[in-house]
């Protein structure tokens, strides 16, 4: 239409006019004189027009008046406006020879634009095909359609801005560990000894005295006396503090008994600070992805293949989907790849007021061996969001704090639960794990110098 071809920033002159049963050709002459444009009527343009227009842009007024009375106006490349009867235009389009032309696409892709062009083609005649090798669109249709195709490509094939996306992922892992335990070893120099914590000494030759070092009993060798009454005891020997930073040893001798005590303590703080700053530049409305990490192979066993193979072997004797070895069907193994590390996925959209609409998915993940035979577990921190930010503004899209506290008590039954003195008969382990995750994103429009 004429209104669509007039640029919005150059609004056409406004017209106020009234027609009362005026021949259509005189109406066209009126608009031609008012606009200073050449308007040519086709041979089938006949009839009278009655209409009133009050202060409207002349292209809009002309379009409405013509379309209401069954006519259509077409602007030719040389600027002349041709008016025809709608039926005559349709009949002409059916017999007009087709023109084939290739349109080169510079900034967009031919596959993206060809869908918009297909709606403009003449039904049953026009064709449009994308050529990815040359990023071109080949159109075969009548001349009027080619003019519309050229206009649409000019509007769609524009240079879009680029956006630089900088992300900062901060992961802080703080572990506090406090252990305190007391180990007791009661030995009888003339009887039983449980030498699991410390070596002992015993009258091995029966002369009534202990000769060192000949009669030392090495650690790990117990002494069991069958010749009389004797008592030996161990307390908390199998639940000691691992790698203690403080160990106190005391011994108390009462008659032929010796009480050896170990006081063990451990306090440790482990701080891990991991920071990653991935950055990627991408065109407007295009997805981008960046990964800094590794690809972990996982071995997957397909138990269903073994069942299928066993069923096939039982039914036909030839075996089924599983592998067979020595007459037994075993599962088939495959390898699955899992991507881990720092992964950033983003799709930006630049608005007219220099804001950026971001679709974001940020992830930090790491594999860890599982305690069982399942293989790996994956520690993952992920944030997915859609935000609107200013150009160059930093936004926090994710924040997570996780605190895990664990306390384990073990010791001598009954004695460990005594008030006030119960701590002397037990080992206490306290651990606290705190994880903090912060994800910051700064998008910036890349401008030409």
């Amino acid at each position: 239409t004429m209104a669509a071809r007039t640029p919005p920033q150059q609004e056409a002159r406004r017209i106020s006019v009234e027609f009362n049963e005026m021949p259509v050709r005189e109406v066209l002459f009126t608009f031609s004189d008012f606009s200073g444009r050449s308007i040519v009527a086709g041979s089938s343009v006949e009839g009278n027009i009655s209409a009133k227009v009050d202060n409207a842009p002349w292209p809009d007024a002309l379009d409405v008046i013509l379309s209401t009375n069954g006519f259509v106006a077409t602007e030719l490349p040389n600027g002349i406006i041709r008016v025809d009867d709608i039926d005559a235009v349709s009949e002409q389009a059916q017999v007009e020879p087709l023109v084939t032309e290739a349109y080169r696409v510079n900034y967009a892709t031919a596959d993206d634009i060809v869908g918009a062009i297909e709606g403009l083609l003449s039904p049953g005649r026009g064709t449009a095909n994308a050529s990815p090798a040359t990023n071109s669109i080949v159109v075969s249709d009548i001349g009027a359609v080619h003019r519309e195709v050229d206009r649409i490509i000019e509007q769609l094939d524009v240079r879009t801005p680029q956006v630089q996306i900088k992300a900062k992922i901060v992961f802080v892992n703080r572990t506090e560990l406090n252990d305190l335990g007391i180990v007791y070893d009661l030995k009888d120099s003339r009887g039983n000894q449980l030498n699991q914590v410390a070596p002992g000494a015993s009258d091995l030759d029966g002369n009534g005295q202990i000769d060192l070092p000949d009669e030392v009993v090495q650690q790990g060798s117990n002494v069991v006396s069958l010749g009389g009454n004797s008592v030996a005891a161990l307390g908390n020997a199998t639940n000691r503090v691992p790698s203690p930073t403080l160990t106190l040893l005391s011994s108390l001798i009462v008659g032929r008994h010796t009480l050896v005590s170990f006081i063990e303590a451990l306090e440790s703080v482990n701080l891990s600070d991991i920071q990653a700053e991935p950055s990627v530049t991408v065109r407007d409305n295009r997805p981008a992805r960046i990964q800094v990490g590794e690809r972990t192979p996982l071995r997957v066993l397909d138990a269903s293949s073994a069942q299928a193979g066993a069923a096939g072997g039982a039914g036909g004797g030839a075996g089924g989907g599983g592998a067979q070895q020595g007459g037994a069907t075993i599962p088939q193994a495959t390898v699955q790849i899992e991507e881990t590390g720092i992964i950033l996925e983003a799709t930006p959209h630049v608005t007219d007021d220099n804001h950026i609409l971001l679709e974001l998915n940020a992830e930090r993940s790491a594999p860890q061996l599982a305690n069982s035979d399942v293989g790996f577990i994956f520690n993952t921190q992920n944030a997915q969001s859609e935000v609107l930010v200013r150009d160059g503004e930093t936004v926090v899209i994710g924040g997570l704090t996780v605190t895990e506290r664990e306390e384990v008590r073990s010791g001598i039954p009954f004695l460990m639960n005594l008030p006030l003195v119960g701590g002397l008969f037990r080992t206490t382990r306290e651990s606290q794990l705190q994880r903090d995750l912060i994800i910051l994103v700064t998008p910036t429009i890349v401008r030409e110098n």
Side-chain angles (χ1 to χ4, degrees):
T1 62
M2 291 296 304
R5 294 177 181 276
T6 304
Q9 65 272 21
Q10 299 178 0
E11 184 178 4
R13 294 175 56 193
R14 293 180 173 270
I15 186 173
S16 298
V17 65
E18 182 176 358
F19 304 109
N20 186 14
E21 291 297 325
M22 180 176 291
V24 62
R25 293 180 180 271
E26 294 186 14
V27 173
L28 298 179
F29 292 155
T30 301
F31 276 94
S32 178
D33 291 339
F34 180 82
S35 63
R37 302 287 296 274
S38 299
I39 302 178
V40 179
S43 59
S44 59
V45 178
E46 299 292 345
N48 298 328
I49 292 178
S50 296
K52 181 180 180 180
V53 178
D54 186 16
N55 192 29
W58 73 265
D60 295 340
L62 179 60
D63 276 342
V64 172
I65 292 174
L66 293 178
S67 61
T68 304
N69 291 272
F71 303 107
V72 62
T74 305
E75 184 178 2
L76 302 179
N78 54 15
I80 299 176
I81 302 173
R82 186 178 68 187
V83 179
D84 294 293
D85 182 83
I86 293 179
D87 296 334
V89 172
S90 300
E91 294 176 359
Q92 182 182 358
Q94 296 299 323
V95 297
E96 184 177 346
L98 299 179
V99 178
T100 300
E101 187 174 349
Y103 295 89
R104 178 68 181 273
V105 181
N106 295 316
Y107 302 109
T109 61
D111 291 331
D112 293 340
I113 296 181
V114 70
I117 293 177
E118 290 175 347
L120 305 175
L121 302 177
S122 300
R125 299 192 68 194
T127 60
N129 298 292
S131 174
T134 60
N135 200 33
S136 303
I137 302 175
V138 180
V139 179
S140 295
D141 214 317
I142 60 176
V145 174
H146 276 280
R147 288 189 290 272
E148 290 296 321
V149 168
D150 186 68
R151 180 177 64 87
I152 290 297
I153 292 180
E154 184 179 357
Q155 293 178 357
L156 297 180
D157 186 27
V158 295
R159 185 170 184 174
T160 57
Q162 296 188 112
V163 179
Q164 184 184 46
I165 303 172
K166 293 183 178 180
K168 187 172 184 179
I169 303 175
V170 181
F171 181 74
V172 179
N173 190 350
R174 179 185 177 91
T175 304
E176 296 183 4
L177 183 63
N178 294 296
D179 284 4
L180 177 63
I182 302 178
V183 181
Y184 298 100
D185 185 2
L186 180 63
K187 302 177 184 294
D188 186 353
S189 61
R190 300 180 184 177
N192 298 331
Q193 295 182 16
L194 300 174
N195 300 313
Q196 302 299 318
V197 177
S202 180
D203 185 10
L204 300 179
D205 55 8
N207 60 1
Q209 62 182 9
I210 298 175
D211 298 325
L212 299 178
D214 297 334
E215 295 183 324
V216 172
V217 180
Q218 298 298 324
Q219 183 176 345
S221 298
N222 298 330
V223 177
V224 179
S225 176
L226 301 178
N229 298 327
S230 179
V231 175
L234 281 177
N236 299 330
T238 59
N239 190 31
R240 304 185 65 176
V241 175
S243 303
T245 55
L246 175 64
T247 302
L248 297 178
L249 173 61
S250 64
S251 59
L252 176 64
I253 299 176
V254 179
R256 67 187 217 183
H257 290 84
T258 302
L259 178 63
V260 180
S261 301
F262 291 88
I263 301 177
E264 299 172 332
L266 169 65
E267 181 177 353
S268 66
V269 177
N270 184 13
L271 180 63
S272 173
D273 185 0
I274 302 175
Q275 297 188 17
E277 297 187 18
S279 176
V280 62
T281 302
V282 63
R283 290 174 54 191
D284 187 22
N285 294 319
R286 298 287 182 177
R289 186 177 190 272
I290 186 172
Q291 177 188 5
V292 180
E294 58 275 339
R295 304 179 69 190
T296 304
L298 301 177
R299 188 168 179 263
V300 180
L301 296 178
D302 187 3
S304 61
S305 63
Q307 296 175 359
Q324 292 190 350
Q325 182 178 1
T329 305
I330 60 176
Q332 291 183 348
T334 59
V335 176
Q336 178 180 336
I337 301 299
E338 187 75 18
E339 294 183 344
T340 58
I342 304 297
I343 302 175
L344 174 65
E345 297 176 347
T347 302
H349 171 65
V350 180
T351 62
D352 294 336
D353 55 353
N354 284 334
H355 281 68
I356 303 172
L357 180 63
L358 276 178
E359 297 179 8
L360 283 167
N361 184 18
E363 175 184 313
R364 180 200 176 270
S365 57
Q368 179 181 346
L369 285 175
N371 295 328
S372 60
D373 59 351
V374 297
F376 291 91
I377 59 175
F378 293 90
N379 298 321
T380 303
Q381 294 82 36
N382 181 278
Q384 186 173 358
S385 178
E386 183 174 327
V387 293
L388 180 65
V389 297
R390 299 186 186 93
D391 179 21
E393 183 181 25
T394 300
V395 59
V396 180
I397 67 167
L400 176 65
T401 299
V402 177
T403 302
E404 299 179 7
R405 186 177 183 275
E406 181 181 5
E407 182 177 350
V408 179
R409 294 184 177 183
S410 61
I412 302 174
F414 305 111
L415 297 180
M416 64 173 288
N417 297 319
L418 293 176
L420 300 179
V421 296
L424 300 176
F425 303 98
R426 66 172 177 253
T427 298
T428 302
R429 174 172 297 177
E430 297 179 355
S431 62
Q432 180 171 312
L433 176 61
Q434 181 174 333
R435 297 188 181 97
D436 296 316
L437 173 66
I438 301 176
I439 302 176
L440 305 97
V441 176
T442 305
T444 305
I445 301 175
V446 179
R447 307 182 187 276
E448 297 183 4
N449 295 330

